[in-house]
């Protein structure tokens, strides 16, 4: 029963849409950084993601649906903003103004924040998540827009779930319901304990990332066939169920049924009026298990039960994250952290039975924060998400953020966070907040590409067509004052993109027949095909028009970003990061082209 749904979900990911694998947060982060991720925000991806998450959770894999909610929100926002669907070949002609990379990124950012808000019931947490973890380009207008989107998302989910469950008040704050703490306080002498838990979270998180990275490297090397990926997912599903069954059979942990009975309690191998605490951990959704660890009474589990469960789930989550399935990492990270955090309270209570401050739920929450900080390396947004999801008093913010920051610092000493590790292994040219260390004392001339393919202001159409077929470049400088055929050293006056050139060839925007098209040219002619422009090989070009002329005066971008060949790479990196550009032309003192820098140069030159 576990293998069947996992096979269905894994087959969809492997054979239909591989980009739907995992949580999608790393890919969304790259997209928002300015990197084009093919098929990331398509309707087909959303369908595979949605079905894949359901099958993976039903199959009992060590993961959750909260991470994929962020990717799903990004896809929905992207589709709404464009008013068209290439999957269904439909163009509603609406929102054509937003068919632009920068505008689309803003919508995707709001969609990602709305996904976080719906997953955790945390509107402010969604806003801060998009700012801290996802966004690369931020402006003041995006703050209130994103906050409104997050708030409406949480309210809509609450309204729908409350109505579905027959409630007349708003009681369903998010998909991941941690339950509300009535009252939770801390003593000043507990802060050193929380700090030690933060250190532990950083060490354990770094260990988790290291093990997971080695497992995924093994997958990339030996499991390349699609059917092999599906079989691996089925094997891991079977392994998880088998380990759970062995634990239930071998560990005797029967507990008296409380006065307030547990919903769907499992009696297995226990007497009347008892329930099996081990089975209770496994035979419910991971979200409910986390809620149990946070709110169960102090004597609800044995130390042996939680110790074995923590170790097993830690390893299962390492193996699961990276499978060809749609599944997130939030839930197993919170679950493992809450389990060992509760263990800390139980150990301390065994030595200090009179200590009234040893609330297992409180230490489970601190453990969850520490483990998430060690794996995800988020700080502000993670703190706010936990506060909004649990309803703890704001006075508890200090121990939470103290624990998370220490966990992040300790983890960063050993490796990068899980999302940055994924991005690095996939060699995506992501621009981080700081330039690479080996670029500190370099100048533009040391990393630029030269010679550069340039076009004259009035260029031969046949020459342009051949250069587009010969190269894969996406940006071409437009130059003047060319001496002979040395276009690569002309004086820069603009930039034209490959996509624009393709549209110009398709619409035959030649200077010789300008009177027929000049009054019909609009920005929508170029935006209607966005974001998937045809390749130059599919564009028909009549050889008889090879000597015709294309005048770039009407089409080029005259306000391009340039730098001097002696400018520092750190300065150039800051411009790339802040403006989200893909090309920067390097010029000399006379404004003549010397080279060009792209995003990939920061990656390739630093390896």
């Amino acid at each position: 029963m576990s293998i069947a749904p996992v096979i269905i979900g894994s087959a969809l990911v492997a054979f239909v849409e591989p980009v739907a694998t995992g949580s999608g947060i790393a890919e969304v982060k790259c997209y928002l950084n300015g990197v084009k991720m093919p098929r990331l925000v398509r309707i087909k991806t959303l369908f595979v993601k949605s079905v894949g998450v359901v099958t993976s959770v039903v199959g009992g894999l060590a993961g959750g649906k909260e991470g994929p909610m962020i990717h799903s929100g990004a896809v929905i926002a992207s589709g709404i903003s464009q008013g068209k669907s290439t999957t269904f070949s439909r163009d509603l002609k609406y929102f054509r103004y937003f068919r632009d990379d920068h505008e689309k990124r803003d919508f995707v950012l709001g969609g990602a924040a709305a996904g976080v808000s719906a997953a955790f019931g945390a509107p402010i947490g969604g806003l801060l998540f998009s700012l801290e973890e996802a966004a690369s380009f931020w402006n003041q207008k995006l703050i209130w827009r994103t906050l409104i989107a997050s708030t409406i998302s949480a309210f809509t989910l609450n309204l729908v779930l409350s109505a579905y469950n027959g409630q007349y008040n708003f009681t369903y704050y998010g998909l991941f319901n941690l339950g509300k703490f009535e009252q939770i306080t801390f003593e000043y002498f507990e802060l050193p304990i929380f700090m030690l838990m933060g250190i532990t979270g950083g060490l354990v998180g770094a260990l988790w990332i290291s093990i997971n990275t080695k497992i995924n490297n093994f997958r990339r090397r030996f499991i390349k066939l699609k059917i092999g990926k599906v079989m691996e997912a089925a094997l891991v599903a079977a392994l998880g169920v088998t380990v759970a069954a062995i634990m239930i059979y071998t560990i005797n942990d029967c507990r008296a049924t409380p006065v307030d009975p547990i919903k769907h309690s499992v009696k297995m191998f226990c007497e009347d009026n008892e329930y099996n605490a081990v089975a209770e951990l496994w035979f419910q959704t991971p979200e409910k298990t986390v809620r149990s660890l946070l709110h169960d009474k102090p004597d609800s589990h044995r130390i042996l039960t939680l110790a074995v469960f923590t170790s097993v789930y830690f390893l299962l989550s390492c193996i699961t994250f990276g499978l060809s399935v749609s599944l997130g990492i939030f839930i197993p990270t919170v679950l493992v952290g809450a389990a060992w955090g509760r263990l800390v309270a139980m150990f301390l209570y065994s030595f200090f039975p009179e200590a009234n401050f040893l609330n297992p739920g409180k230490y489970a929450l601190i453990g969850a924060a520490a483990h998430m900080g060690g794996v995800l390396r988020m700080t502000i947004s993670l703190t706010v998400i936990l506060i909004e999801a649990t309803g703890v008093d704001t006075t508890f913010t200090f121990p939470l953020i103290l624990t998370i920051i220490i966990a992040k610092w300790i983890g960063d000493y050993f490796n990068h966070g899980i999302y940055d590790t994924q991005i690095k292994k996939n060699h995506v040219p992501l621009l981080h907040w700081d330039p690479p260390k080996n670029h500190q004392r370099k100048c533009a001339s040391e990393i630029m590409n030269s010679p550069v393919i340039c076009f004259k202001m009035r260029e031969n159409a046949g020459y342009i067509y051949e250069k587009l077929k010969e190269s894969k470049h996406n940006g071409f400088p437009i130059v003047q004052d060319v001496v002979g055929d040395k276009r690569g050293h002309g004086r820069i006056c603009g930039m034209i993109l490959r996509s624009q050139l393709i549209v110009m060839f398709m619409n035959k925007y030649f200077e010789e027949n300008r009177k027929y098209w000049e009054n019909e040219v609009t920005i929508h002619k170029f935006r209607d095909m966005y974001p998937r422009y045809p390749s130059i090989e599919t564009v028909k070009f009549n050889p008889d028009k090879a000597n015709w002329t294309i005048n770039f005066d009407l089409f080029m971008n005259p306000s391009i970003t340039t730098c001097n060949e002696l400018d520092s790479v750190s300065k150039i990196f800051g411009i790339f990061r802040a403006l989200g550009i893909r090309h920067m032309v390097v010029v000399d003192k006379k404004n003549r082209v010397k080279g060009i820098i792209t995003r990939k140069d920061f990656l390739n030159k630093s390896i």
Side-chain angles (χ1 to χ4, degrees):
M1 292 178 67
S2 292
I3 290 174
V6 170
I7 288 178
I8 295 173
S10 181
L12 282 173
V13 172
F15 290 97
V16 179
E17 198 54 85
V19 76
T21 187
S23 66
I25 295 178
E27 290 78 7
V28 171
K29 181 177 180 178
C30 293
Y31 181 87
L32 293 172
N33 191 261
V35 181
K36 285 200 171 184
M37 306 294 292
R39 312 177 71 86
L40 180 69
V41 289
R42 299 189 66 176
I43 292 179
K44 185 189 294 185
T45 304
L46 177 63
F47 171 77
V48 174
K49 197 82 174 183
S50 303
V51 176
V53 166
V54 173
T55 55
S56 299
V57 173
V58 169
L61 291 176
K65 56 187 178 292
E66 282 66 30
M69 281 290 296
I70 299 170
H71 187 184
S72 300
V75 177
I76 293 171
S78 171
I80 291 175
S81 70
Q82 301 303 291
K84 63 184 291 189
S85 170
T86 54
T87 303
F88 297 108
S89 301
R90 291 288 182 270
D91 189 348
L92 302 178
K93 305 297 182 181
Y94 296 128
F95 307 126
R96 298 167 80 182
Y97 172 80
F98 301 121
R99 293 176 187 177
D100 174 78
D101 283 339
H102 290 277
E103 297 289 346
K104 189 176 180 180
R105 271 202 300 265
D106 290 348
F107 276 92
V108 170
L109 179 67
V116 175
S117 179
F120 299 98
I124 300 176
L127 170 67
L128 293 175
F129 174 86
S130 62
L131 172 61
E132 179 183 14
E133 191 66 20
S136 296
F137 325 110
W138 193 260
N139 59 59
Q140 191 174 11
K141 290 188 294 185
L142 274 179
I143 296 177
W144 65 266
R145 291 175 180 175
T146 305
L147 181 60
I148 289 175
S150 300
T151 304
I152 293 175
S153 175
F155 174 77
T156 304
L157 178 74
N158 201 333
L159 180 66
V160 172
L161 288 182
S162 298
Y164 176 79
N165 290 278
Q167 301 292 330
Y168 294 98
N169 54 351
F170 297 116
T171 55
Y172 294 87
Y173 302 100
L175 292 176
F176 184 32
N177 193 344
L178 294 177
K180 301 299 181 181
F181 282 94
E182 294 296 332
Q183 185 177 5
I184 183 170
T185 58
F186 69 97
E187 304 293 340
Y188 69 92
F189 51 79
E190 290 183 275
L191 291 177
I193 302 176
F194 297 156
M195 295 172 67
L196 289 174
M197 292 178 71
I199 294 173
T200 304
L203 294 173
V204 175
L207 176 64
W208 189 96
I209 293 173
S210 178
I211 296 174
N212 179 256
T213 301
K214 287 180 170 57
I215 293 173
N216 288 332
N217 288 339
F218 177 86
R219 287 190 176 109
R220 290 190 184 95
R221 185 176 180 182
F222 295 104
I223 308 177
K224 298 180 179 180
L225 296 177
K226 294 180 179 179
I227 188 65
K229 295 178 180 179
V230 176
M231 292 298 100
E232 182 198 14
L235 179 63
V236 172
L239 175 65
V241 175
T242 303
V243 172
I246 291 174
M247 275 190 64
I248 296 170
Y249 277 113
T250 55
I251 299 178
N252 180 21
D253 191 0
C254 293
R255 299 280 164 174
T257 304
V259 178
D260 185 14
I262 301 173
K263 190 176 182 180
H264 307 308
S265 61
V266 183
K267 181 183 174 182
M268 185 175 286
F269 307 127
C270 296
E271 302 294 335
D272 292 340
N273 298 321
E274 290 184 341
Y275 72 96
N276 192 311
V278 183
E280 195 67 29
L281 290 173
W282 287 105
F283 286 167
Q284 59 183 349
T285 62
E287 292 91 335
K288 291 184 178 179
T289 303
V290 174
R291 188 170 181 174
S292 298
L293 292 172
L294 293 177
H295 298 283
D296 280 352
K297 295 181 178 180
D299 59 346
S300 299
H301 307 91
R302 289 170 55 192
I303 291 180
L304 175 63
T305 301
L306 276 186
V308 175
F309 178 79
T310 303
S311 303
V312 167
Y313 215 86
F314 177 89
L315 294 175
L316 281 178
S317 61
C318 283
I319 299 171
T320 303
F321 193 67
L323 290 175
S324 180
V325 294
S326 297
L327 209 59
I329 193 62
F330 274 93
I331 296 303
T333 305
V334 176
L335 181 53
V336 172
W340 68 255
R342 193 176 181 93
L343 268 176
V344 170
M346 294 170 69
F347 273 118
L348 291 175
Y349 187 77
S350 63
F351 290 103
F352 307 101
E354 302 298 327
N356 297 324
F357 63 87
L358 290 174
N359 180 355
K362 174 174 62 177
Y363 281 81
L365 179 59
I366 292 293
H371 195 61
M372 290 183 76
V375 173
L376 305 179
R377 309 292 164 82
M378 295 158 51
T379 53
I380 302 173
S381 58
L382 181 57
T383 303
V384 175
I385 286 173
L386 288 176
I387 290 173
E388 289 187 284
T390 58
V392 297
D393 192 86
T394 53
T395 57
F396 204 70
T397 303
F398 179 68
L400 274 178
I401 199 167
L402 178 66
T403 304
I404 291 171
I405 289 177
I406 290 176
K408 173 180 167 55
W409 284 348
I410 296 297
D412 284 342
Y413 181 80
F414 296 96
N415 49 34
H416 296 288
I418 183 60
Y419 301 130
D420 289 334
T421 300
Q422 280 186 302
I423 293 168
K424 186 177 180 180
K425 288 296 180 182
N426 292 328
H427 298 287
V428 178
L430 179 79
L431 300 185
H432 296 279
W433 292 107
D434 299 309
K437 292 183 179 179
N438 58 339
H439 284 354
Q440 296 280 336
R441 299 181 179 179
K442 289 184 178 180
C443 60
S445 59
E446 296 181 70
I447 68 168
M448 70 181 186
N449 295 288
S450 182
V452 184
I453 298 176
C454 300
F455 298 135
K456 294 185 291 186
M457 179 68 77
R458 295 171 62 90
E459 187 60 88
N460 184 281
Y463 178 82
I464 298 174
Y465 187 79
E466 290 300 320
K467 288 300 179 181
L468 288 176
K469 292 183 69 175
E470 291 174 5
S471 68
K472 298 296 182 182
H473 303 316
N474 286 312
F476 302 91
I478 306 301
V479 295
Q480 291 178 333
D481 300 338
V482 177
V483 179
D485 291 332
K486 296 181 179 180
R487 295 175 175 84
H489 295 287
R491 184 170 57 84
I492 186 74
C493 60
M495 174 75 78
I496 195 77
L497 301 179
R498 172 181 286 267
S499 58
Q500 294 172 309
L501 290 170
I502 290 175
V503 173
M504 291 167 66
F505 273 106
M506 293 179 67
N507 290 278
K508 299 178 175 57
Y509 290 156
F510 304 117
E511 186 70 9
E512 285 75 6
N513 61 350
R514 182 166 184 157
K515 63 180 180 180
Y516 297 108
W517 53 260
E518 185 173 14
N519 295 328
E520 298 178 359
V521 175
T522 64
I523 189 65
H524 300 303
K525 289 281 187 181
F526 294 87
R527 285 180 170 174
D528 283 346
M529 293 185 184
Y530 178 84
R532 279 169 280 282
Y533 295 92
S535 64
I536 190 63
E537 286 77 12
T538 62
V539 178
K540 294 181 180 180
F541 179 65
N542 190 345
D544 296 336
K545 297 180 180 179
N547 293 324
W548 283 33
T549 304
I550 290 182
N551 188 348
F552 292 110
D553 183 53
L554 185 63
F555 304 100
M556 70 176 185
N557 174 18
S559 58
I560 60 172
T561 306
T562 62
C563 68
N564 189 274
E565 55 187 330
L566 298 179
D567 284 347
S568 68
V569 174
S570 297
K571 172 186 174 182
I572 297 170
F573 180 89
I575 297 174
F576 263 86
R577 193 68 166 70
L579 300 181
I581 59 178
R582 291 195 174 93
H583 317 90
M584 181 179 288
V585 181
V586 182
V587 297
D588 59 13
K589 295 180 180 179
K590 296 182 179 180
N591 213 30
R592 292 188 176 272
V593 177
K594 300 295 291 184
I596 193 168
I597 298 174
T598 65
R599 300 173 63 89
K600 289 186 178 180
D601 294 319
F602 294 105
L603 178 71
N604 296 335
K605 301 297 189 298
S606 61
I607 292 178

